[in-house]
Amino acid sequence: MPSLRVNGTEIHYAEAGVGGQPLVMVHGTLGDQRSFAAQMEPLAAAGFHAMALSLRHCWPGHWPEQGGDFRIDTHVADVAAFLQALGKGPVALLGHSRGGHIALRIAERHPSLLRALILAEPGGELDPSLGGKPGAQEQAGAFGKAADLVAAGDEEGGLKVVAEHTGGPGAWERRPEDRKAISRANARTMLGQRHEERRPYSRQGVAAIRTPTLFLQGAKTRPNFVANVEALSGAMARSRVVVIPNATHGLPYENPKDFNAAVVSFLSAL
């Protein structure tokens, strides 16, 4: 399994299509490089060097006794350093959910590293300038509850809370076993997300992004993710939205055929 050492940590990644145009993918909460298993070979076949990262402490890494460095800003710095260490020039960067939040922050802070940005239902909150409600902390509350359950030894209970927050009632029970296994392998990373200092998106920050951007949204997703896509895409001049049919927030896994086709179409047109 290849890896690059950046910022004092080993970033492991899966890859396919070495020699193609670089496309780096960043997973969401409770995910790792295996979250993009359904993207690797199709994107490689389309001419891309697909690389799916595992963020620090995510599988195959280990959760340390002290996980204080599991923060959005730390992961943004790690991914930026990874892109620089690749030495391949500006890349296409794809992020799903929490990974979408990280990818958007890369576009804000390190635009020279990117040739294109793909945000699959980016997670996080909107500030009032983007229509967010002051003090809205729905996600922080759900994730805090999940982290408390994990800390108390009820990992399955914590994973269920996260699944239902993103996918609605019964989401954990409906989830395929391979996806459950990935979540279980990363359950203790929820402890780091209690204090990760995730700031809301602002219109000023998002409007400054000039990287060509594709937003992907599941046709059956929850309203908070629709609100994020609508607000963020509306504030970004060089963006477009594609709705993926027959998919909720888990759109890369639930409908990989249409997800992959949208990615390839977008990048091929640049």
Side-chain angles (χ1 to χ4, degrees):
M1 182 184 302
S3 67
L4 285 175
R5 188 164 186 82
V6 300
N7 294 342
T9 192
E10 207 74 19
I11 301 295
H12 297 273
Y13 62 100
E15 64 179 345
V18 177
Q21 299 179 52
L23 169 57
V24 176
M25 295 178 281
V26 186
H27 61 82
T29 293
L30 296 171
D32 58 49
Q33 61 188 248
R34 298 171 295 175
S35 300
F36 293 107
Q39 278 66 57
M40 301 302 288
E41 292 304 328
L43 293 177
F48 297 98
H49 179 189
M51 290 166 277
L53 309 187
S54 285
L55 296 169
R56 68 165 63 206
H57 304 324
C58 296
W59 182 95
H62 302 283
W63 184 253
E65 288 300 318
Q66 300 296 324
D69 58 351
F70 198 88
R71 294 193 175 99
I72 284 287
D73 286 347
T74 305
H75 286 142
V76 169
D78 286 349
V79 174
F82 180 92
L83 299 182
Q84 291 169 329
L86 277 178
K88 294 181 177 292
V91 307
L93 182 64
L94 185 160
H96 172 229
S97 194
R98 184 176 185 273
H101 191 119
I102 293 167
L104 188 148
R105 299 303 188 189
I106 296 280
E108 284 184 337
R109 302 172 193 177
H110 307 280
S112 64
L113 297 177
L114 305 184
R115 64 177 288 264
L117 181 65
I118 302 167
L119 303 175
E121 295 198 2
E125 306 285 351
L126 306 170
D127 81 359
S129 70
L130 287 169
K133 298 177 181 179
Q137 294 292 326
E138 178 186 355
Q139 179 167 287
F143 282 17
K145 179 181 178 180
D148 290 343
L149 288 168
V150 170
D154 183 9
E155 290 191 355
E156 203 79 359
L159 298 177
K160 180 177 180 179
V161 168
V162 176
E164 293 196 343
H165 172 72
T166 58
W172 179 249
E173 289 75 12
R174 293 191 300 269
R175 185 163 294 184
E177 282 302 318
D178 59 341
R179 282 190 62 199
K180 286 183 176 180
I182 293 172
S183 294
R184 290 176 181 128
N186 295 289
R188 295 194 67 77
T189 62
M190 290 308 303
L191 303 179
Q193 290 193 227
R194 283 188 293 194
H195 307 294
E196 67 174 351
E197 301 175 358
R198 191 187 306 198
R199 292 184 295 279
Y201 302 113
S202 72
R203 180 173 296 277
Q204 181 179 11
V206 172
I209 295 173
R210 293 293 180 265
T211 305
T213 301
L214 172 67
F215 285 88
L216 297 174
Q217 175 189 309
K220 299 179 179 179
T221 198
R222 293 175 69 77
N224 57 307
F225 296 116
V226 175
N228 274 8
V229 169
E230 289 181 348
L232 295 172
S233 64
M236 294 172 63
R238 302 187 67 188
S239 70
R240 58 185 294 243
V241 178
V242 171
V243 176
I244 304 301
N246 302 314
T248 66
H249 186 59
L251 57 169
Y253 338 108
E254 294 170 356
N255 188 349
K257 180 180 179 180
D258 287 330
F259 183 96
N260 297 342
V263 171
V264 171
S265 176
F266 171 68
L267 294 177
S268 297
L270 296 178

